[in-house]
Amino acid sequence: MTPLSTLLERAEAIYLTHGTSSARHLLDQIETAIREGAPAPHICELDHMLQLIEYRDRTLALYGKH
């Protein structure tokens, strides 16, 4: 299992690279991984990063960008 700190760093890198389309980018990666038969741990890691991005988006929407 990938440590949370590593997942947070990767999610942040994706967010900085793809901005508001980060969630869509991760969904595309998950769909591709499933189609190509990637190992379950890899798909779970992508899903965890997607959840972190979605949580960030919800938190920013709720509390603002201060």
Side-chain angles (χ1 to χ4, degrees), residues 47-58:
D47 181 60
H48 290 149
M49 286 189 290
L50 174 61
Q51 290 177 44
L52 289 167
I53 292 289
E54 289 174 338
Y55 176 77
R56 177 190 174 120
D57 289 345
R58 285 192 308 274

